[in-house]
Amino acid sequence: MAGPAAASPDPGSGPKAEPLTRAQTSEARSAIENGDIPGVDEVVHSDNISHLANIPKQALKGTNSDLAFQGKYAFAGNYDGFVVFDVSDPRNPKTVSQVLCPGAQNDVAVSGNLLILSTDSSRSDDSCNSTTQPASEKSSWEGVKVFDITDKRNPRYVAAVETACGSHTHTLVPDRKDVYVYVSSYSPSASFPDCQPPHDGISIVKVPRANPEKSAVVDFPVLFPDGGNPGDAGKPDMVPTTGCHDITVFPRLKLAAGACMGDGVLLDIADPAAPKVIDRVKDLENFSFWHSATFNERGNKVVFTDELGGGGAATCNAKVGPDRGADGIYDIVGKGKHRKLVFRSYFKIPRHQADTENCVAHNGSLIPVKGRDIMVQAWYQGGVSVWDFTDSDKPKEIGYFERGPLSADKPVGGGSWSAYYYNGYIYSNDMAKGFDVLKIDDRRTDSAERVRLHELNVQTQPDYR
């Protein structure tokens, strides 16, 4: 049986987790004693948030990652595989199955009877019994795996597709007979036979619903023919573009937004097999690593996240400030191929965290509120934040949930990787503490209670209307 996969954060630049000085340790302890931050492992939340349930890690001990939903089930990625939960009673979720299949990050998405799993760590082969192996070896494998989840108690591994530079994340673009998978990956090297520079696009995998065993790469569109943002030697925080980290599609509007390391892009996906770039933006002042994207429901805004420090550093503090490691809110103006992304403001959680806590903007989703733009978002050890960006210039937090630091003495990685709203509840996959269920009770979000989905992959943004 394969051993656990090693967890590693995204290779963003900027602050890194390093041993703390005595002064920093003393400051963290003083902040806890003074009540400025919660105590170690202490659960705190705003009055409008309730913590309903937690399921600690069980057989899979790796880092918890992304989430997907279908009917009464939640699918939770883990660096060692994935877990299926029955959330028909959100106050008492049940574990249905645990699938051991190591291969970071194991981001997960579902469509019908198919589950797609991302592998972005070099493996000895494409099996679930693989072991780690250097990417410099030609025989090494990385890519996407396909499971049949007709029987949730016994998911069946049916196909694997190798992709250039692996699959850090992936995004589904469902079609009637097929599922197209946009595979995001990056960081090529001349020493990697299957991940050669330049690497300025995305792999597109076609998964036939009726015969997923025939899944294959059908194209590799180049999104950055000029190479993308080259970075700046004078600004070591800024990560050059060598691929994309994550893409969110909005099928109803035939749009996609790509978070691509040093660039943010708006894409036309009228032909899902041939996405075309409409606009590109950079933030040469404050963004380090363009990580993910979320449209508002009208499709006239995009929230991009900056994962300063790669998810492993303490960036939610006064030293880093409010504009770095934050969300960037962009309006989409114009029509058709002339649409542009226009920056409006930043949002960052207003609660400073200890220097022992990895904290930065991470994965979130819309809360489908009528007439307003509200989303829930994970901030690693900064917890879960609910915030309103209806006014693009003046975003504000309206609720939160978090735990105190895992340690007051040394940096320890953990916190919420993904926090998503699904059918009336917020689900969070905490890297260290397991699967959490939250409930928000607030007049500003009450209308979302009436929205019911059969399936949710957040990077395939649904038409909530």
Side-chain angles (χ1 to χ4, degrees):
M1 183 172 288
S8 58
D10 291 336
S13 188
K16 299 296 183 183
E18 298 177 349
L20 300 184
T21 64
R22 288 185 179 181
Q24 287 173 310
T25 299
S26 176
E27 184 178 338
R29 289 176 175 170
S30 295
I32 292 172
E33 292 171 1
N34 295 335
D36 297 330
I37 63 174
V40 172
D41 275 349
E42 179 186 358
V43 172
V44 297
H45 51 81
S46 55
D47 291 341
N48 59 354
I49 300 284
S50 301
H51 186 205
L52 303 184
N54 170 262
I55 298 182
K57 292 181 188 178
Q58 300 166 73
L60 305 183
K61 302 299 184 183
T63 296
N64 284 334
S65 57
D66 211 2
L67 294 167
F69 304 89
Q70 186 181 83
K72 66 178 184 179
Y73 298 103
F75 302 83
N78 178 285
Y79 277 46
D80 288 338
F82 65 92
V83 182
V84 182
F85 294 107
D86 181 337
V87 294
S88 53
D89 179 1
R91 296 177 181 272
N92 188 28
K94 303 291 187 183
T95 302
V96 176
S97 59
Q98 301 181 73
V99 177
L100 177 66
C101 196
Q105 299 185 135
N106 276 343
D107 273 12
V108 61
V110 294
S111 182
N113 65 343
L114 300 177
L115 179 146
I116 313 297
L117 200 67
S118 277
T119 299
D120 192 36
S121 59
S122 186
R123 313 298 297 177
S124 56
D125 55 52
D126 64 5
S127 76
C128 286
N129 294 313
S130 67
T131 57
T132 58
Q133 182 170 288
S136 56
E137 294 189 22
K138 176 62 179 173
S139 62
S140 295
W141 184 92
E142 299 180 66
V144 294
K145 297 166 181 168
V146 183
F147 289 78
D148 185 316
I149 54 170
T150 303
D151 181 357
K152 306 297 188 294
R153 296 186 177 277
N154 187 30
R156 184 170 58 90
Y157 184 16
V158 295
V161 180
E162 186 170 14
T163 57
C165 300
S167 175
H168 194 71
T169 65
H170 67 271
T171 303
L172 304 189
V173 188
D175 205 356
R176 291 182 178 180
K177 294 183 179 180
D178 308 304
V179 178
Y180 288 95
V181 184
Y182 291 175
V183 176
S184 296
S185 56
Y186 50 87
S187 295
S189 169
S191 65
F192 298 162
D194 299 320
C195 184
Q196 292 281 301
H199 182 73
D200 297 321
I202 59 174
S203 297
I204 299 181
V205 175
K206 181 179 178 180
V207 182
R209 292 187 187 277
N211 196 353
E213 292 83 0
K214 292 187 177 181
S215 301
V217 175
V218 294
D219 204 357
F220 186 88
V222 174
L223 304 182
F224 303 100
D226 63 354
N229 185 351
D232 185 336
K235 296 181 178 180
D237 285 358
M238 189 189 304
V239 179
T241 299
T242 59
C244 289
H245 179 278
D246 211 342
I247 293 173
T248 292
V249 298
F250 201 158
R252 176 174 65 87
L253 297 181
K254 297 181 173 55
L255 283 178
C260 301
M261 304 181 72
D263 294 89
V265 297
L266 186 67
L267 302 166
D268 180 335
I269 58 167
D271 179 355
K276 294 181 173 59
V277 175
I278 300 173
D279 192 29
R280 282 171 54 187
V281 289
K282 300 177 178 64
D283 183 338
L284 304 181
E285 185 65 29
N286 288 312
F287 260 45
S288 166
F289 189 91
W290 295 69
H291 176 276
S292 53
T294 302
F295 288 97
N296 69 337
E297 177 54 27
R298 292 176 61 195
N300 60 3
K301 298 179 187 179
V302 181
V303 174
F304 287 104
T305 66
D306 172 24
E307 196 184 37
L308 173 69
T315 73
C316 297
N317 51 32
K319 178 181 178 181
V320 173
D323 296 340
R324 302 175 66 234
D327 296 315
I329 303 166
Y330 286 76
D331 285 351
I332 301 174
V333 301
K335 296 181 179 180
K337 64 181 181 181
H338 300 295
R339 283 171 285 193
K340 297 290 184 182
L341 292 163
V342 177
F343 174 76
R344 297 297 296 273
S345 67
Y346 297 107
F347 170 78
K348 192 170 184 178
I349 56 173
R351 293 161 285 109
H352 284 167
Q353 307 295 306
D355 286 337
T356 60
E357 296 180 276
N358 59 308
C359 176
V360 75
H362 213 237
N363 293 346
S365 78
L366 279 188
I367 297 179
V369 176
K370 185 176 181 179
R372 301 192 70 83
D373 300 325
I374 296 177
M375 69 178 290
V376 59
Q377 186 176 5
W379 289 77
Y380 290 118
Q381 285 192 73
V384 175
S385 176
V386 178
W387 61 286
D388 187 324
F389 61 103
T390 306
D391 183 340
S392 299
D393 295 318
K394 297 179 180 179
K396 60 182 179 180
E397 185 175 72
I398 64 173
Y400 69 90
F401 165 88
E402 68 167 294
R403 292 180 169 90
L406 290 168
S407 171
D409 302 311
K410 60 182 179 181
V412 178
S416 179
W417 179 291
S418 297
Y420 300 147
Y421 185 94
Y422 177 67
N423 291 353
Y425 296 86
I426 294 168
Y427 297 90
S428 167
N429 212 18
D430 189 291
M431 295 165 65
K433 293 297 183 179
F435 183 71
D436 288 304
V437 185
L438 311 174
K439 178 74 171 175
I440 182 166
D441 182 11
D442 192 295
R443 59 178 177 76
R444 291 166 290 191
T445 61
D446 284 348
S447 64
E449 294 272 359
R450 297 188 290 273
V451 177
R452 287 291 181 268
L453 301 176
H454 173 65
E455 196 169 83
L456 176 63
N457 301 296
V458 169
Q459 286 74 33
T460 306
Q461 197 155 317
D463 181 3
Y464 290 108
R465 297 186 299 181

